[in-house]
Amino acid sequence: VTLRFIGDLARPDANELAEALATIRIASFPVEIEGVGHFERKGVARAVWARVKPSAPLSTLKKKIDRLCQGLGHQDDHRQFQPHITLARLNMSSGPIGGFLARHADLHPPRFIAAQFTLFESHMGGGGSHYEAVADYPLA
C-alpha cells in the first residue's frame, strides 16, 4: 500500500527522511482487502489493483507520514488517497481486463495485520521500476 509518493531526493534529504520516519508511533492494525479496480489515464487502463478497505488506523498512519514529510519541506501530494495494492501495471499490449475485474469484483481474502511500514527507493529501468526497501519501521 503506497502511503505517500515523495519523488526525487538528494541523499542527505533521503537520510533525514529515513531517520524522521523512525519517530512515528502507531499500533499494528488489521488490513482488509475488498474488491478490485483499475486506474486509467486518457481512457486507457494503466494498473489493476485490489482495494484496501479504509480504516482509522490506516488513515492515522498516512496523516502522520504526511505531516512529517511536510515538516521536512516535501511538497504535498494532492492526489486523493485511495488505499490499494497494485496487482499489475499495464501497457498497450496488456489486453482487456474486464473479465478479470468481473471475476474478482468480490475479492475478499482473509485480513492481515500491518506490523510495519517500509521506506522504498525506486529505480527506473528499461523493464519498468525496480523497488528497493531502504528501511522498515515496526508498528507497536
Side-chain angles (χ1 to χ4, degrees):
V1 177
T2 301
L3 296 169
R4 182 176 177 106
F5 178 78
I6 297 168
D8 291 331
L9 293 180
R11 184 58 55 195
D13 293 333
N15 291 341
E16 179 183 41
L17 174 63
E19 289 175 19
L21 287 170
T23 66
I24 291 178
R25 299 289 179 254
I26 186 171
S28 58
F29 56 91
V31 176
E32 292 186 60
I33 296 171
E34 53 181 24
V36 295
H38 70 287
F39 291 127
E40 288 186 3
R41 189 176 321 130
K42 297 181 181 176
V44 177
R46 296 295 182 189
V48 174
W49 46 261
R51 181 176 184 266
V52 173
K53 184 177 179 179
S55 69
L58 180 61
S59 178
T60 297
L61 178 58
K62 164 92 172 115
K63 287 175 186 174
K64 285 178 180 254
I65 292 170
D66 285 344
R67 281 194 299 271
L68 185 142
C69 287
Q70 290 166 358
L72 293 175
H74 302 294
Q75 289 188 344
D76 190 22
D77 183 3
H78 296 289
R79 294 177 288 186
Q80 181 181 358
F81 181 53
Q82 295 180 328
H84 67 279
I85 298 171
T86 301
L87 301 176
R89 297 204 184 280
L90 308 173
N91 59 33
M92 296 303 285
S93 63
S94 296
I97 61 171
F100 174 87
L101 295 175
R103 282 190 307 277
H104 299 285
D106 293 328
L107 179 69
H108 198 86
R111 70 182 190 165
F112 61 91
I113 301 298
Q116 70 180 27
F117 67 98
T118 303
L119 175 63
F120 283 92
E121 182 175 12
S122 63
H123 305 277
M124 297 301 290
S129 295
H130 167 73
Y131 299 96
E132 177 183 350
V134 174
D136 294 322
Y137 304 96
L139 303 178

